[in-house]
Structure formats: structure tokens, C-alpha cells
Amino acid sequence: MTDGLYIHIPFCHQICFYCDFNKVFFKNQPVDEYIDCLGEELMMMRREGMFGGGGPLTIFIGGGTPTALEDRQLEKLFSHICSAVPTDRLIEFSTEANPDELTPDKLAILWENGVRRLSIGVQSFDAGLLERLGRTHSPNDAERVVRQARETGFENISIDLMYGLPEQTIGQWEHTLDRALSLELPHYSAYSLIVEPKTIFYNLMNKNQLPLPGEDTEAGMFNLLMERMAQSGLRQYEISNFAEEGFESVHNKLYWQNRTYAGAGAGAHGYAGGVRYSNHGPLKKYMNAVSEGRRPVFEEHRVTASEEMEEEMFLGLRMTEGVRFDRFRKRFGRELNDVYGTRIRELSEKGLLASDGESVRLTQKGIFLGNEVFQEFLG
Ligand code: SF4
């Protein structure tokens, strides 16, 4: 039985220039057939006992863009979820959304089907930067959709922001933070741009046509982000995530706590029974497998005990609460210091980790150099 369930909708009405997620243009795709395959895959998971009797603690519908679906397709998706997934244990049901697609009708469909948390891809409140990212919504769309979501009844709303964007200045980032925080939401996520292979930005970068801010400017933006969130009473509970008490993302915390989750849909990943798996990414392969009555799993990897400990460290250290000694002992039957004492000591001497005897966590300096720390725990 898994703790979480992730459901992937791989369709988008636009392709953003930085995006390397598994997605395709919505137009001319077999969207209805895909949703039926998802329903069938969820039923297979149920028959295999992945949801147990009580079902997952969290469901997260992501993408791609779930809100790219038409109203009746969304209804169909929820009817499949409802048939296959028990919800007795469910404590959080989230959906990702794009501001220009989340109409009042779609908001009502989400609400009526039990979704109570929205994660909205706003990215910036600067119209020029949104265009530069290949986004199709305006800053006003973002504010309107938050207002309409509240009118529908949603309180648990998060928006995603990005910084370190081409030619972005600290002043522009501050303006985005001002507008974002004036919405008084209980949760914000903010990520620095990472230029991934096979994206439009990657091609531009290789042609020297992507003028990104320097490292110092980006660090300044991260610093400003942390300052402004703290001033607004939002706690940084993970490197890139800030929330009011009680509004942390339960689903994302499952990942960082190295707990189990089922992943359904093309290219989705899961972690269950000590095995990490990924589904076929291409729609055709995914749908063919399901149509032939097989779980559409492309790759499986049984996680060894030492890999599991590494994951526990580099995922757990992302959270400001860090990795707890007692949880490590309970999970692995070994003392954290017996396994990683030397590395923890070395990183502490560099001022990157701190330990209070109950847990080990990143220091303020370590938060800026997180990747350097995580690498130390990789075999
Ligand atoms: S960022 Fe989101 S909306 Fe943009 S292409 Fe990627 S999945 Fe689609």
C-alpha cells in the first residue's frame, strides 16, 4: 500500500521554453483514450493492492497541465479516480493548474470532486518575462484565478514562481514577490531556472542567446525570496517551499521523507515495495501496454539498503527540519552517525550542516549550497 498517488496528464496547450516534463501539444492527441487508459491503469494498481483498503493519504494530479483538459474530460478523469481509488485515508487532494485555463466551471468540477488544494503555475508577475518563458497567461490572469478559486471555496492555494530568468533584474523579482505576497496565500513555491537539455532555452543557451543573471544576482534573488517570505510569516519548510503553519504540501513531503507513492500515467514514476519504477513516456507505448492488459512499466529498480540510506539523506536534507536521528534508526536499524558521521562532521566543519543531537540539517550557508551537500551523500 502506498502513501501517495501521483497522476500524470501529459497535455499542454503551449510548450514553455524551459520545460523538460513529459508532455505533448494537446491538439490532435487521443486525450479521451488516454484518460480511459489512466482509469484502467488505476484499476490494475488497485487489483495489485497498491492502494490497500483505505487508499493513499494524498493524491496529486500533475502534468503537463491537468487543466488543459476539457470540462467533460476532467469529469471523466475524476469518475475513473473515484471508481479505482479508495479515499478513506485521503488527507490531501491537489491539482496543478495554469492561470489561463482554470475557468470557474473547471474550478467547480475540481471542487465537486474533492480537490481541495491548487498549485497554480504563475511563474512571474512580469508580462515581458512571462512572454520570454513561452507562457500564455498574463499577471492579471493569475490574480483573477486566485480570486475565483477563493470564491469557489478553495483556501489551500499555492503558486509557483521562477527566478534567475533571462535578463531578470533584482527589481523585477522584487516586483513579482510583492504582487505574489499581496495575494496573501498560505503557500508559495519558488525555483531558480535550470536550463535542461531538449528545451528551447537549452538551444538558445548553446547559441549564446540566453543572457541569464550571474550567480551572485541569482543568490541575491534567493536571499530576497527568503527574507520576504519570512517577513510575511511564511516558514521555509523546504529549500524552495514556504507555507503558513498547517499548509505545507503533504504530498511533496512524502517525496522528501522518502515514503512510498504510486505513479500513474505516461512517464510517471513510483516507489513501492522497495522498487522505484517509471512508466513508458511516449503516449503510444503507454497506451499500448495498458490496452494489452499490462501495467505500463518501462523500468524498475530495486533500491538497495545503501541507496535507500543515501536517498533518505539527500531528500531529507531538502527540508528545513532535516533528517531525524530517531527516524533513521527506526527505518534502518543503524545509527545515522555510524553510517554518515565522517561526512556530517566534514560538512559541519565547512559550515554547511548543523546537528542538535535530534536531527541534522542544512545551515543557512548550506541552503545556498544544497547541491554540493547532497552530492556528498551520493554513492
Ligand atoms: S511548464 Fe507546464 S504548461 Fe509549460 S510546457 Fe511544461 S508542463 Fe506544459
Side-chain angles (χ1 to χ4, degrees):
M1 179 167 72
T2 55
D3 295 319
L5 168 62
Y6 172 80
I7 298 174
H8 192 72
I9 305 296
F11 306 110
C12 295
H13 287 293
Q14 92 262 10
I15 300 297
C16 305
F17 301 159
Y18 55 88
C19 178
D20 72 333
F21 299 147
N22 189 43
K23 82 287 169 189
V24 288
F25 263 125
F26 184 92
K27 212 172 158 197
N28 299 329
Q29 293 295 336
V31 181
D32 286 273
E33 293 84 344
Y34 177 83
I35 296 170
D36 287 336
C37 283
L38 252 181
E40 191 43 48
E41 187 191 4
L42 291 171
M43 288 306 289
M44 289 184 215
M45 289 173 154
R46 182 189 179 123
R47 286 195 289 273
E48 286 183 19
M50 286 179 82
F51 304 138
L57 297 169
T58 62
I59 302 176
F60 189 102
I61 309 177
T65 329
T67 49
L69 300 181
E70 293 168 7
D71 293 2
R72 60 170 187 84
Q73 292 167 335
L74 263 181
E75 298 269 21
K76 179 150 81 157
L77 172 67
F78 284 115
S79 114
H80 286 315
I81 295 172
C82 180
S83 312
V85 186
T87 52
D88 297 347
R89 294 200 309 154
L90 193 65
I91 52 174
E92 185 184 272
F93 193 171
S94 314
T95 299
E96 280 180 353
N98 270 352
D100 49 347
E101 291 165 354
L102 194 50
T103 60
D105 286 348
K106 284 185 192 171
L107 279 164
I109 293 169
L110 299 180
W111 182 264
E112 280 157 19
N113 284 284
V115 174
R116 290 293 178 268
R117 182 173 187 275
L118 294 174
S119 173
I120 306 175
V122 170
Q123 317 311 356
S124 177
F125 281 95
D126 183 297
L129 283 174
L130 285 172
E131 203 178 316
R132 196 119 192 221
L133 292 171
R135 307 285 297 178
T136 50
H137 67 266
S138 69
N140 291 343
D141 286 334
E143 287 165 345
R144 174 190 45 80
V145 91
V146 166
R147 197 173 56 247
Q148 289 171 339
R150 283 183 164 139
E151 283 163 10
T152 311
F154 287 96
E155 290 171 8
N156 197 348
I157 302 172
S158 174
I159 60 174
D160 279 5
L161 300 171
M162 292 175 76
Y163 60 95
L165 305 177
E167 290 183 289
Q168 187 182 29
T169 62
I170 292 260
Q172 282 172 320
W173 176 230
E174 189 161 24
H175 171 254
T176 277
L177 286 173
D178 282 342
R179 273 181 84 169
L181 288 166
S182 71
L183 294 171
E184 298 185 354
L185 298 173
H187 191 287
Y188 295 85
S189 302
Y191 303 95
S192 66
L193 172 70
I194 296 178
V195 180
E196 302 283 2
K198 296 187 195 154
T199 60
I200 294 171
F201 272 0
Y202 190 76
N203 290 339
L204 288 173
M205 193 174 73
N206 284 340
K207 289 191 225 155
N208 268 334
Q209 290 173 5
L210 195 71
L212 298 174
E215 265 179 35
D216 288 349
T217 308
E218 195 182 308
M221 290 178 179
F222 185 38
N223 205 25
L224 182 66
L225 166 73
M226 291 190 288
E227 269 175 27
R228 296 298 305 277
M229 291 289 157
Q231 283 160 7
S232 303
L234 295 148
R235 192 176 73 89
Q236 184 176 22
Y237 69 101
E238 192 266 351
I239 292 180
S240 309
N241 286 276
F242 304 82
E244 268 175 31
E245 178 89 40
F247 284 88
E248 297 89 355
S249 162
V250 183
H251 185 83
N252 286 338
K253 277 185 84 174
L254 292 181
Y255 297 142
W256 302 317
Q257 289 171 342
N258 205 9
R259 290 170 66 177
T260 57
Y261 56 95
H269 298 257
Y271 181 33
V275 173
R276 289 201 181 271
Y277 71 86
S278 52
N279 278 354
H280 287 292
L283 286 198
K284 208 161 178 245
K285 285 197 172 169
Y286 168 81
M287 291 169 66
N288 281 349
V290 176
S291 310
E292 288 163 11
R294 290 182 283 119
R295 286 269 314 281
V297 174
F298 163 65
E299 235 174 10
E300 281 186 329
H301 173 70
R302 177 158 291 283
V303 178
T304 64
S306 64
E307 285 168 342
E308 194 180 338
M309 283 191 265
E310 288 167 12
E311 289 169 353
E312 186 82 6
M313 295 307 291
F314 69 75
L315 291 170
L317 286 172
R318 295 196 64 86
M319 296 181 293
T320 48
E321 69 184 35
V323 178
R324 290 190 59 85
F325 289 99
D326 54 357
R327 221 168 45 206
F328 191 94
R329 188 184 307 121
K330 194 165 164 213
R331 181 162 186 161
F332 300 106
R334 295 181 66 184
E335 292 297 331
L336 179 55
N337 274 329
D338 289 347
V339 186
Y340 291 118
T342 310
R343 258 170 272 188
I344 291 172
R345 222 171 11 259
E346 284 167 4
L347 289 163
S348 301
E349 278 163 16
K350 289 185 187 168
L352 299 173
L353 285 182
S355 168
D356 60 3
E358 287 193 1
S359 66
V360 57
R361 62 178 83 96
L362 293 175
T363 58
Q364 197 60 17
K365 183 178 170 192
I367 285 178
F368 280 91
L369 297 170
N371 288 339
E372 203 172 294
V373 177
F374 306 148
Q375 266 172 14
E376 291 295 321
F377 293 96
L378 288 173

